[in-house]
């Protein structure tokens, strides 16, 4: 019974139907974009005759990459079968006999992602993009909650936490992973990675594995070893680029990289690297979220100890490369870990900010959060570095002018308030418990023992006789003068004579110190037994204004020297100056393809006029993939409003964030946003 090969006249890829069915329609419906392990449909129009079940044959071949091979899973040939087999490449006809044939095609749930070519019989060549499928139970990125999938794969905007652990600043971000041209840029990142350039056939095969792809992304989002996306800069000099604080989303960054021959975009800092990595992961179909770790340790010599040195005024001196960052952002990708023993599936930390080399390249992760929590530091990849970021012990030394050093008493905790945006709302979710056990618990001791974290294990709480702490005012608005306080307490039965040095300096979020913002040195502080004293330090706008970095941070340090025992006690606190609020009003009823007006205002909180004021606005499916810019011609006097109207036309229904940035000569970048619910 010889089968006749079907003669195809033309075909229809049914992009709108397939892309919607595979939840990729926001990328557009001009090309076929489907997810692995899930069937898609192509309609074939025959040149002559009609399809007969059992009597008609069709040979299909799929290939990806420049060196397709059956052995590596980058090529497959298959014919028609009665019913689709979702575990391998297969095809079946789902229409009744006739001259139009509905062909259902399925890829296996572990097929490599990327661009594929499909050959239909003798005549037709079809191209399509294959992505990870977190909706498919057979895919290693499978996630079993529709709400989480909506947040971690489909949401095109979110919130990234900055500021300090005492004052968290939620910053809006436009991930824009489905905006025009972004998927192409993400696929190009995979094509430009050094592993692909060295061995393209092997790299194409490696793309079946999200562990491999996550590691590639963590190297390619920074440009330290390759043609990566972003160049980092942590000084105040942004010549040849823009300040990392000016970005509102990933779209412009990825587009700039893609259209400028893969030249790195200038400049990024940790939250920008993390946000771009999140956009790319979501675009490829890996569930992803940006997380922030407050008081994040950067342990360069892997001894799980951060050594800080201060001078005799309690001010930091940079003697060691170890640092404590006010906060540090990375991402978590969701996947199973068949390469590790069971129990380590789920969220994996990966960090695209270039800090330390791993296997000779600036990349970090993926490492299961569970491995960090359990102290399993031999697990892949880069467990010791991430473990130190959330658990390192801090030792503080005073370097005297005669060159001698001595250890001083100071309590600093590392790894606080690890935060991410919660699912389906703009509230913060605290995920510290996913990284560490409660302090002082048996499980914590066990994890530290496993990790050989001797310093933390040996730490006994010594009850210090003198206590020093820094208290701050309820409101510390940029532009105002306010007080901060050193509070000293004598818990001993004896009177104490002390010296108190209380200083303040501007600081960047990664711990680089700037200029002095106010200083006090009291040589003779007397404390009776049980006595408490509050010593104020006035922070004047006239003094701090010129010294602040864009991070709006001031580092307060209070050093107490006990003349009797020669012991030194240090308290340190970073304060964030509050920016003014950006108010956004939407005029008109928000509907698809209907022009809307946003009225945006910001009140000048400074005692000086603002010049060169400029609002920029963007939002996925709101501003047509573009950034809208409105400059103010006039000066904004103290207490007056900077105000603009911006016109935009939403293209899709659903909730979207309109992200706003305000820039001027004196305030630096201020962020704001408004959630807009677009009706059909």
């Amino acid at each position: 019974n010889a089968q006749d090969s079907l003669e195809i006249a033309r075909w229809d890829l049914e992009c709108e139907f397939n892309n919607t069915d595979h939840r990729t329609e926001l990328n557009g419906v001009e090309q076929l974009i489907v997810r692995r392990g899930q069937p898609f449909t192509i309609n074939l129009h025959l040149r002559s005759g009609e399809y007969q079940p059992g009597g008609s044959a069709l040979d299909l071949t799929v290939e990806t990459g420049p060196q397709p091979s059956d052995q590596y899973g980058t090529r497959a040939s298959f014919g028609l079968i009665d019913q689709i087999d979702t575990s391998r490449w297969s095809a079946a006809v789902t229409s009744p006999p006739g001259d139009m044939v509905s062909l259902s095609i399925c890829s296996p749930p572990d097929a490599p992602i990327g661009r594929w070519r499909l050959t239909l019989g003798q005549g037709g060549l079809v191209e399509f993009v294959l992505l990870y499928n977190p909706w498919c139970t057979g895919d290693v990125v499978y996630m079993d909650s529709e709400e989480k999938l909506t947040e971690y794969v489909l949401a095109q905007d979110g919130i990234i936490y900055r500021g300090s652990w005492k004052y968290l600043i939620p910053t809006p971000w436009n991930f824009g992973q489905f905006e025009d041209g972004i998927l192409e840029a993400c696929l190009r990142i995979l094509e430009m990675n050094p592993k692909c350039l060295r061995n393209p056939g092997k790299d194409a095969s490696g793309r079946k594995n999200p562990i491999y792809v996550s590691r590639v992304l963590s190297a390619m989002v920074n440009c330290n070893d390759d043609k990566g996306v972003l160049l980092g800069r942590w000084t105040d000099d942004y010549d040849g680029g823009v300040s990392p604080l000016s970005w509102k989303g990933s779209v412009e960054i990825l587009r700039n990289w893609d259209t400028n021959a893969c030249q790195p975009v200038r400049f990024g800092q940790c939250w920008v690297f993390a946000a771009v990595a999140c956009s790319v992961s979501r675009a490829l179909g890996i569930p992803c979220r940006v997380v922030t770790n407050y008081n994040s340790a950067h342990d360069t010599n892997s001894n799980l100890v951060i050594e800080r040195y201060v001078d005799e005024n309690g001010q930091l001196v940079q003697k060691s490369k170890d640092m404590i960052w006010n906060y540090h952002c990375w991402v978590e990708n969701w996947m199973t870990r068949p390469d590790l023993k069971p129990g380590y599936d789920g969220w994996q930390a990966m960090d695209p900010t270039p800090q330390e080399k791993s296997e000779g390249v600036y990349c970090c992760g993926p490492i299961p959060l569970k491995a960090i929590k359990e102290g399993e530091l031999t697990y892949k990849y880069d467990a010791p570095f991430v473990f130190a970021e959330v658990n390192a012990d801090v030792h503080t030394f005073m370097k005297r002018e005669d060159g001698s050093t001595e250890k001083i008493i100071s309590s600093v905790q590392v790894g606080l308030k690890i935060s991410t945006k919660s699912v389906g709302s703009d509230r913060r979710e605290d995920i510290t418990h996913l990284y560490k056990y409660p302090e002082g618990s048996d499980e914590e001791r066990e994890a530290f023992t496993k990790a050989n974290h001797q310093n933390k294990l040996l730490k006994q709480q010594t009850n210090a006789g003198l206590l020093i702490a820094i208290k701050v005012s309820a409101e510390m608005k940029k532009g105002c003068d306010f007080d901060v306080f050193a509070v000293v307490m004598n818990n001993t039965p004896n009177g104490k004579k002390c010296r108190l040095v209380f200083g303040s300096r501007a600081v960047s979020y990664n711990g680089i110190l700037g200029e002095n913002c106010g200083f006090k040195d009291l040589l003779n502080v007397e404390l009776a037994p049980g006595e408490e004293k509050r010593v104020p330090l006035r922070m004047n706008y006239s003094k701090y204004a010129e010294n602040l970095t864009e991070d709006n941070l001031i580092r307060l340090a209070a050093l107490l020297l006990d003349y009797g025992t020669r012991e030194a006690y240090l308290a340190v606190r970073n304060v964030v100056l509050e920016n003014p609020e950006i108010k956004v009003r939407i005029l008109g009823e928000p509907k698809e393809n209907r022009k809307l007006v946003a009225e945006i205002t910001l009140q000048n909180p400074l005692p000086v006029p603002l010049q060169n004021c400029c609002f920029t606005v963007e939002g996925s499916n709101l501003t047509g993939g573009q950034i809208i810019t409105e400059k103010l011609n006039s000066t904004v006097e103290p207490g007056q409003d900077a105000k603009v109207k911006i016109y935009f036309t939403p293209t899709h229904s659903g909730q979207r964030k309109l992200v706003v940035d305000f820039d001027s000569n004196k305030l630096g970048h201020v962020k704001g946003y408004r959630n807009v619910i677009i009706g059909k």
Side-chain angles (χ1 to χ4, degrees):
N1 172 354
Q3 292 184 322
D4 297 329
S5 280
L6 293 175
E7 289 196 30
I8 302 163
R10 57 188 177 84
W11 57 85
D12 182 354
L13 297 181
E14 301 293 347
C15 291
E16 189 163 351
F17 170 79
N18 286 316
N19 291 9
T20 304
D21 192 41
H22 287 248
R23 300 174 177 84
T24 64
E25 77 282 3
L26 287 177
N27 287 298
V29 292
E30 292 72 52
Q31 57 173 335
L32 183 57
I33 305 168
V34 293
R35 299 186 184 275
R36 60 188 196 174
Q38 183 179 338
F40 59 94
T41 299
I42 296 180
N43 287 332
L44 309 177
H45 300 270
L46 302 182
R47 185 169 285 127
S48 59
E50 52 176 48
Y51 166 74
Q52 292 297 339
S56 308
L58 181 63
D59 295 322
L60 300 119
T61 305
V62 286
E63 299 180 325
T64 186
Q67 301 155 351
S69 108
D70 294 272
Q71 182 194 351
Y72 286 128
T74 49
R75 182 182 179 281
S77 299
F78 50 103
L80 297 176
I81 51 177
D82 293 342
Q83 219 170 350
I84 214 104
D85 176 352
T86 53
S87 69
R88 59 186 178 95
W89 284 102
S90 61
V93 172
T94 56
S95 54
D99 59 358
M100 201 280 291
V101 178
S102 267
L103 190 61
S104 186
I105 300 172
C106 194
S107 59
D110 63 349
I113 60 152
R115 295 181 195 282
W116 284 80
R117 305 172 293 282
L118 163 66
T119 314
L120 300 161
Q122 299 308 304
L125 178 66
V126 168
E127 297 200 336
F128 64 96
V129 174
L130 191 66
L131 302 176
Y132 292 112
N133 192 351
W135 284 268
C136 166
T137 49
D139 197 315
V140 291
V141 299
Y142 172 68
M143 200 171 218
D144 65 354
S145 148
E146 203 56 51
E147 287 170 310
K148 287 182 179 174
L149 287 159
T150 302
E151 181 70 56
Y152 298 135
V153 183
L154 300 179
Q156 293 197 80
D157 49 52
I159 293 207
I160 297 171
Y161 292 91
R162 297 179 35 255
S164 79
W165 73 277
K166 293 265 194 186
Y167 185 78
L168 289 71
I169 298 178
T171 307
W173 192 268
N174 179 32
F175 294 112
Q177 68 269 31
F178 302 122
E179 292 283 50
D180 206 25
I182 297 304
L183 180 58
E184 283 65 32
C186 296
L187 293 172
R188 191 169 184 190
I189 288 173
L190 297 182
E191 283 148 25
M192 294 309 293
N193 103 72
K195 291 177 177 173
C196 181
L197 300 175
R198 276 199 301 273
N199 188 340
K202 189 176 172 202
D203 176 78
S205 171
R207 291 179 197 176
K208 61 176 70 153
N209 184 352
I211 303 169
Y212 175 81
V213 168
S214 295
R215 197 147 169 78
V216 162
L217 290 184
S218 107
M220 280 298 290
V221 168
N222 69 69
C223 66
N224 287 42
D225 312 278
D226 44 47
K227 277 189 156 4
V229 178
L230 277 160
L231 179 61
R233 178 153 295 174
W234 283 267
T235 59
D236 255 0
D237 166 26
Y238 301 123
D239 281 359
V242 299
S243 152
L245 272 166
S246 67
W247 306 112
K248 296 172 296 306
S250 311
V251 177
E252 191 184 2
I253 295 169
L254 287 164
R255 274 199 194 134
N256 286 357
W257 177 80
D258 193 32
T259 53
N260 294 319
C262 307
Q263 290 300 305
V265 177
R266 298 157 188 260
F267 292 100
Q269 287 174 1
C270 69
W271 73 93
V272 186
F273 288 109
V276 169
C278 181
S279 296
V280 179
S281 295
R282 288 182 185 180
L284 299 177
I286 306 173
C288 182
R289 62 188 185 185
V290 177
V291 305
T292 303
N293 176 40
Y294 288 94
N295 284 7
S296 192
H298 183 150
D299 177 22
T300 50
N301 56 4
S302 307
N303 64 350
L304 296 176
V305 175
I306 301 292
E307 297 185 346
R308 293 192 308 177
Y309 292 85
V310 296
D311 60 20
E312 292 182 71
N313 292 329
Q315 293 296 343
L316 271 187
V317 285
Q318 236 59 65
K319 188 173 167 354
S320 108
K321 274 217 174 81
D322 290 352
M323 299 281 286
I324 297 170
W325 291 28
N326 210 36
Y327 64 86
H328 180 48
C329 302
W330 57 78
V331 294
E332 294 170 2
N333 281 359
W334 177 271
M335 65 195 73
T336 61
R337 289 299 298 263
D339 57 325
L340 301 175
K341 71 180 192 198
Y344 291 84
D345 299 342
W347 290 116
Q348 316 283 321
M350 117 187 174
D351 188 349
T353 298
Q355 297 185 88
E356 296 292 320
K357 287 194 170 187
S358 170
E359 296 180 340
V361 175
Y362 279 98
C363 66
C364 177
I367 177 75
L369 270 49
K370 178 101 187 286
I372 302 302
K373 187 169 178 173
E374 301 293 343
E376 296 285 6
L377 301 197
T378 57
Y379 283 22
K380 284 185 159 75
Y381 289 87
D382 308 308
F385 188 75
V386 181
F387 183 84
E389 284 183 307
V390 298
N391 285 314
D393 206 15
V394 183
H395 294 181
T396 309
F397 299 90
M398 189 197 295
K399 197 169 188 318
R400 296 194 179 276
E401 276 177 14
D402 63 14
S404 65
T405 57
E406 65 173 286
K407 199 167 174 184
I408 60 177
I409 298 161
S410 177
S411 69
V412 174
Q413 281 176 301
V414 157
L416 299 170
K417 284 199 184 164
I418 306 176
S419 302
T420 190
K421 175 188 177 301
S422 58
V423 173
S425 95
D426 287 351
R427 286 194 301 274
R428 181 181 77 91
E429 182 185 344
D430 193 300
I431 54 170
T432 312
H433 64 280
L434 297 181
Y435 282 87
K436 44 213 269 192
Y437 283 106
E439 195 141 331
S441 65
D442 292 348
E443 293 92 344
E444 184 196 49
R445 284 193 74 80
E446 217 169 294
F448 286 167
T449 307
K450 232 182 254 178
N452 197 19
H453 195 354
Q454 295 303 337
N455 287 289
K456 271 278 174 77
L457 291 168
L458 296 172
K459 246 197 166 157
Q460 293 304 318
Q461 273 308 319
T462 48
N463 213 346
L466 287 174
L467 292 178
I468 182 158
I470 294 173
K471 299 275 189 258
V472 299
S473 306
E475 285 201 330
M476 295 177 285
K477 290 191 173 352
K478 196 169 180 178
C480 296
D481 301 344
F482 56 90
D483 284 325
V484 292
F485 304 90
V487 180
V488 292
M489 171 98 184
N490 178 7
N491 275 345
T492 72
N494 310 315
K496 290 280 187 186
K497 262 193 157 167
C498 307
R499 175 183 176 189
L500 174 66
V501 186
F502 192 9
S504 62
R505 282 172 74 176
V507 64
S508 66
Y509 88 96
N510 64 330
I512 306 287
L513 284 174
E515 296 302 313
N516 170 29
C517 298
F519 184 77
K520 207 173 235 188
D521 188 353
L522 305 177
L523 292 171
N524 199 359
V525 177
E526 297 201 11
L527 292 167
E531 188 183 359
E532 178 179 298
K533 278 194 173 153
R534 285 169 84 88
V535 177
L537 181 66
R538 190 76 175 155
M539 309 298 316
N540 292 310
Y541 175 75
S542 58
K543 180 99 171 120
Y544 69 69
E546 295 310 312
N547 296 332
L548 275 186
T549 70
E550 286 194 301
D551 296 311
N552 282 352
L553 286 167
I554 296 175
R555 181 180 188 276
L556 307 172
L559 181 70
L560 189 67
L561 295 159
D562 181 339
Y563 287 128
T565 63
R566 304 264 306 159
E567 279 183 316
Y569 301 81
L570 178 73
V572 174
R573 180 155 174 182
N574 286 343
V575 297
V576 187
L577 299 189
E578 254 175 275
N579 268 327
E581 187 191 354
I582 294 179
K583 295 197 166 83
V584 184
R585 267 180 68 202
I586 304 292
L587 310 176
E589 190 192 349
K591 283 201 162 170
E592 273 183 24
N593 304 316
R594 179 185 291 183
K595 195 175 205 178
L596 290 178
V597 183
E599 195 180 77
I600 305 173
T601 50
L602 172 141
Q603 188 181 34
N604 176 7
L606 305 183
V608 295
L610 294 179
Q611 286 159 345
N612 313 335
C613 299
C614 178
F615 285 97
T616 51
V617 174
E618 68 176 277
S620 289
N621 308 135
L622 292 176
T623 58
Q626 303 305 313
I627 291 173
I628 302 170
T629 303
E630 281 289 334
K631 289 190 165 72
L632 274 73
N633 298 325
S634 55
T635 299
V636 180
E637 296 299 326
Q640 295 297 302
D641 282 347
K643 193 172 196 171
V644 292
K645 279 190 170 154
I646 279 173
Y647 298 86
F648 63 100
T649 306
T651 49
H652 292 78
S653 61
Q655 180 174 296
R656 304 278 185 261
K657 279 184 173 52
L658 194 65
V659 180
V660 184
D661 175 82
F662 174 81
D663 193 21
S664 62
N665 64 332
K666 292 284 183 195
L667 258 183
H669 289 277
V670 183
K671 303 287 183 211
Y673 73 97
R674 176 72 188 257
N675 287 326
V676 188
I677 297 170
I678 310 295
K680 280 240 179 272

